Amino acid sequence: MLVARGDKIIDSRFSQLVEWLRPGDRLILNDTKVIPARLIGARRRWGDRGETESRIEVTLLNPVSDGCWAAMVKPMRKLQVGEIIEFGVGLKAEMTARENGRALLKFNMQDDDFKDALNQAGIMPLPPYIASRRPADNRDVTDYQSVWARRPGAMAAPTASLHFDKDLLSDLLRAGIGLTHVTLHVGAGTFLPVKVADAALHKMHAEEGEVSEIAAMEIEETRALGGRIIPVGTTAMRLIETVARNGGMSQWKGKTDIFIYPGFEFRVSDALVTNFHLPRSTLMMLVSALMGRERIMRIYSHAISNGYRFFSYGDASLLFPK
């Protein structure tokens, strides 16, 4: 769906994206790569009846220090600090702490050894609405990644990126559309619902991001020449808007917990490529901030009436604010 600067809505195909952009525009691409962050392990205990084994499900969230990760664990209440979880292929982890509903796990491997073991034992962390219907399979290893994914660290894909293939990227470059890579490792916090009445009280989880010196220069040069900066996905938008608040576009690396909701002042983004989002989500608030609440309600009414698909493998929109 193309939503132009007026109220005009055009139903199109994503393969025609190049027709709705102009030479000198620049797409901002999040090159994070989803890791197989879901692990199925076993906890062993000795008791009166001998050794017992119970299934433990772990979803890695983010690295904390050497060999340690914050993680969601099921069932958390039965796992005690100091217990060991075994995941196969020699990979083990000790739960060293529990706080705010999360576990801190210290693994027995680091660096390349850990990556190799995780690639063997781990499972792609599909969104719950998919995982509840089917297990992840080998196709998800490629399907749930953008074609430009190169920096491992995300527990979810920046799903607006999934619409692109190499042919479309070539078409964009031939048409004079710039492509700039940045990195924001997508975490669970991006998808948590807003449960407070006052949106300003909602707390986003911090995510690791990076904008290289080259990326910052490309964005600044595009703006200076009158081109439009168009993030592909809400994660790319949140990252560059974070950097823009630190004194303009420049090389940057750190954590961002920026929350974009109505009233937000955009400093660098001129439009957005994104999927369709659910009510009471931070993602819906972001597009409402960009487009205006009344306008976004009309857009979503059109999407529903015309059978647009929602969720991660759904359809896309190209949104231009007034």
Side-chain angles (χ1 to χ4, degrees), residues 1-318:
M1 178 194 294
L2 169 70
V3 183
R5 290 199 177 275
D7 284 330
K8 187 175 184 180
I9 297 176
I10 299 173
D11 300 309
S12 185
R13 291 283 183 182
F14 202 83
S15 57
Q16 297 174 277
L17 178 64
V18 67
E19 299 177 17
W20 309 116
L21 302 177
R22 60 193 187 207
D25 287 344
R26 181 165 297 277
L27 297 178
I28 310 302
L29 314 178
N30 185 0
D31 62 9
T32 188
K33 187 173 184 178
V34 183
I35 62 173
R38 188 165 170 261
L39 291 160
I40 306 300
R43 178 197 64 180
R44 291 183 172 84
R45 281 183 172 179
W46 289 90
D48 296 339
R49 299 180 180 178
E51 184 183 34
T52 60
E53 180 178 303
S54 56
R55 183 180 188 268
I56 301 291
E57 181 179 324
V58 169
T59 301
L60 302 179
L61 298 177
N62 57 273
V64 178
S65 59
D66 291 344
C68 291
W69 283 72
M72 295 186 294
V73 175
K74 295 180 182 179
M76 173 75 84
R77 67 183 185 279
K78 293 185 177 181
L79 192 65
Q80 303 299 315
V81 171
E83 287 195 281
I84 304 295
I85 310 171
E86 299 180 6
F87 301 104
V89 300
L91 186 64
K92 302 178 183 179
E94 176 188 355
M95 188 171 89
T96 60
R98 177 191 300 161
E99 56 183 31
N100 300 323
R102 298 183 177 192
L104 185 66
L105 301 180
K106 182 171 181 58
F107 285 88
N108 64 329
M109 299 181 184
Q110 295 184 38
D111 303 324
D112 290 340
D113 290 337
F114 175 76
K115 292 177 183 177
D116 290 342
L118 186 63
N119 284 331
Q120 294 181 62
I123 303 168
M124 291 297 280
L126 296 179
Y129 69 91
I130 297 178
S132 64
R133 298 201 306 263
R134 66 168 179 82
D137 57 31
N138 289 335
R139 287 186 58 189
D140 293 306
V141 175
T142 52
D143 288 350
Y144 198 55
Q145 301 278 18
S146 68
V147 293
W148 56 73
R150 60 182 180 179
R151 303 191 66 185
M155 67 159 293
T159 51
S161 303
L162 301 181
H163 299 283
F164 290 81
D165 59 20
K166 292 180 179 179
D167 289 340
L168 179 55
L169 292 176
S170 296
D171 291 344
L172 290 165
L173 289 172
R174 282 195 295 269
I177 312 301
L179 304 175
T180 289
H181 293 266
V182 298
T183 306
L184 185 72
H185 294 311
V186 188
T190 297
F191 307 103
L192 292 178
V194 178
K195 297 182 178 179
V196 292
D198 183 353
L201 299 177
H202 178 78
K203 180 65 176 175
M204 296 285 288
H205 291 287
E207 297 166 316
E208 293 279 351
E210 183 174 358
V211 173
S212 68
E213 182 179 4
I214 292 175
M217 289 176 56
E218 290 174 344
I219 292 171
E220 286 293 270
E221 288 176 0
T222 296
R223 298 178 70 200
L225 294 171
R228 298 174 296 186
I229 301 300
I230 305 173
V232 173
T234 59
T235 58
M237 173 176 273
R238 290 176 58 242
L239 177 61
I240 64 173
E241 290 296 334
T242 295
V243 178
R245 271 149 182 74
N246 292 325
M249 293 305 302
S250 60
Q251 184 176 7
W252 183 90
K253 184 176 183 179
K255 292 184 178 181
T256 177
D257 60 359
I258 191 171
F259 179 22
I260 298 176
Y261 59 93
F264 184 86
E265 179 187 352
F266 291 91
R267 298 189 181 181
V268 65
S269 304
D270 296 301
L272 174 67
V273 176
T274 188
N275 285 18
F276 291 93
H277 310 297
L278 296 182
R280 296 195 64 80
S281 66
T282 60
L283 307 175
M284 177 62 92
M285 291 187 175
L286 183 149
V287 294
S288 297
L290 180 70
M291 303 299 286
R293 187 179 182 281
E294 291 184 4
R295 196 166 177 230
I296 209 71
M297 290 300 104
R298 290 195 295 272
I299 291 167
Y300 272 63
S301 177
H302 178 92
I304 293 169
S305 298
N306 287 271
Y308 278 82
R309 297 169 298 178
F310 283 53
F311 298 111
S312 298
Y313 285 130
D315 294 314
S317 60
L318 171 58

